[in-house]
Amino acid sequence: MRQEFCVSGQTLWQWRTAARQQAITANISAEEVDWLLQDLAGLDRLSLRLETFKDRAEILLCLPLSELTTLWEHRIQDRVPVQYLTGVAPWREFLLNVSPAVLIPRPETECLIDLAIAAATPPPDSPLPTSLLTHGHWADLGTGSGAIAIGLATAFPAAMVHAVDYSAAALAIAQSNAQKLNLADRIRFYEGSWLQPLAHLKGKLSGMVANPPYIPSQMVPDLQPEVARHEPHLALDGGMDGFDCLRHLVAAAPDYLQPGGVWLVETMTGQAIAVAALLQQQGSYHQIQIYPDLAGIDRFVLAYRH
Ligand code: GLN
């Protein structure tokens, strides 16, 4: 059992009030104080919002209040993302383990799973059996925390998901997430570069999904300090023009996708149209489509293998 430390509701309320003030001064969302308290003090959102926790005689923390203060100082002074402080990030219906070895899964990336589901489900008038894509092998390339692989394994209960990452430290996190969510027997993990560890699946993939690094190298240092200083550049830096990995995935995937297989990636603002053109030029793809994220920005590109 994890250790517990007791504080009064009044003390924690004072701590929260001070932390929220520091957040506002540092131009950080005061909401984040509550994320920390939800994960480390077991408080629910409503009791935080209504401040009813203040009247409790005791609240159990999983670390001493002084350590909570130290964590919050890292957030304010060092700009460490709050998800690295708590070690978890919510994404779709999951609470995923994260560490600085993996990119924190973003809300917009959640859409990739809905697009994969829609792409794998034939329209009602289609002669194709549903099982063609939903029962096959899916790949998540550059899996990081394992978010996309976990989303796919949950969306397609009859499929096998193959998750690849170049970073052994990232794979360890992804594997811990698959285990925690009881998906360890549904996802296979491979250390390597993009499709290279999946030679045994050439011509067999039902779908290939990726959120590859796509930020142009010279833009990486100028990203917000939380990202530039703490998130893995391996997961962000897409080379000189940002397209290194996207170009590779366009060129390499046709050997691995089965006819009718789905190619689906996330891109940066402004890149989707160029990625669609690359797919067109490559010659192995059809029904190339661009989809917006929840903010209305064209962010996802989907195509089918001829
Ligand atoms: N979406 C991430 C960001 O905003 C970038 C992820 C990526 O390069 N694939 O920093």
Side-chain angles (χ1 to χ4, degrees):
M1 213 186 104
R2 65 183 191 177
Q3 232 185 321
E4 287 175 332
F5 300 86
C6 189
V7 290
S8 72
Q10 184 69 33
T11 303
L12 198 60
W13 178 81
Q14 279 165 358
W15 186 92
R16 176 179 179 264
T17 306
R20 285 175 66 89
Q21 197 47 56
Q22 284 175 311
I24 292 161
T25 310
N27 224 352
I28 288 170
S29 167
E31 266 312 276
E32 292 195 14
V33 179
D34 288 356
W35 298 1
L36 205 63
L37 292 177
Q38 278 174 64
D39 287 322
L40 303 176
L43 294 175
D44 64 79
R45 279 161 69 177
L46 195 62
S47 72
L48 285 160
R49 276 194 159 213
L50 301 179
E51 301 190 345
T52 48
F53 69 94
K54 185 181 168 183
D55 304 323
R56 280 171 52 185
E58 53 182 44
I59 292 171
L60 296 176
L61 305 179
C62 62
L63 75 183
L65 194 59
S66 60
E67 279 182 33
L68 196 60
T69 303
T70 308
L71 283 185
W72 189 245
E73 277 166 10
H74 282 309
R75 176 72 195 97
I76 299 285
Q77 284 158 24
D78 306 332
R79 294 269 153 177
V80 179
V82 71
Q83 295 92 332
Y84 289 155
L85 297 177
T86 59
V88 289
W91 191 82
R92 288 183 73 89
E93 68 266 46
F94 317 109
L95 189 64
L96 299 174
N97 298 334
V98 294
S99 82
V102 302
L103 192 81
I104 296 164
R106 306 286 200 263
E108 59 269 28
T109 308
E110 296 186 5
C111 300
L112 272 177
I113 306 302
D114 298 310
L115 289 171
I117 294 169
T121 312
D125 57 347
S126 162
L128 291 177
T130 6
S131 61
L132 196 69
L133 293 173
T134 54
H135 282 57
H137 296 280
W138 284 74
D140 169 18
L141 306 176
T143 194
S145 64
I148 294 171
I150 283 161
L152 291 172
T154 306
F156 304 136
M160 179 56 79
V161 180
H162 304 269
V164 180
D165 208 283
Y166 197 70
S167 155
L171 283 172
I173 298 285
Q175 268 168 314
S176 79
N177 282 319
Q179 260 151 25
K180 175 164 103 165
L181 296 161
N182 289 325
L183 292 167
D185 57 340
R186 305 276 325 290
I187 307 174
R188 292 197 190 128
F189 294 93
Y190 308 79
E191 189 178 334
S193 176
W194 306 119
L195 288 151
Q196 171 252 314
L198 304 183
H200 58 295
L201 293 169
K202 274 195 179 172
K204 293 188 192 153
L205 287 183
S206 294
M208 181 224 87
V209 186
N211 173 18
Y214 50 58
I215 314 246
S217 303
Q218 80 279 7
M219 281 177 66
V220 173
D222 297 331
L223 296 171
Q224 61 189 107
E226 284 80 357
V227 182
R229 284 165 52 186
H230 299 288
E231 299 210 63
H233 287 200
L234 182 67
L236 296 165
D237 189 336
M240 185 113 92
D241 65 354
F243 283 84
D244 281 3
C245 307
L246 291 161
R247 265 190 299 268
H248 174 76
L249 293 174
V250 170
D255 283 346
Y256 292 80
L257 288 170
Q258 66 182 49
V262 176
W263 188 97
L264 173 60
V265 301
E266 178 178 319
T267 67
M268 191 173 80
T269 311
Q271 287 176 334
I273 189 81
V275 171
L278 288 170
L279 287 162
Q280 190 72 52
Q281 280 156 26
Q282 207 284 335
S284 306
Y285 302 94
H286 70 132
Q287 282 181 261
I288 301 163
Q289 292 152 74
I290 294 173
Y291 292 95
D293 64 17
L294 296 172
I297 295 165
D298 282 341
R299 185 167 300 279
F300 308 103
V301 187
L302 189 150
Y304 292 87
R305 173 88 170 91
H306 272 306

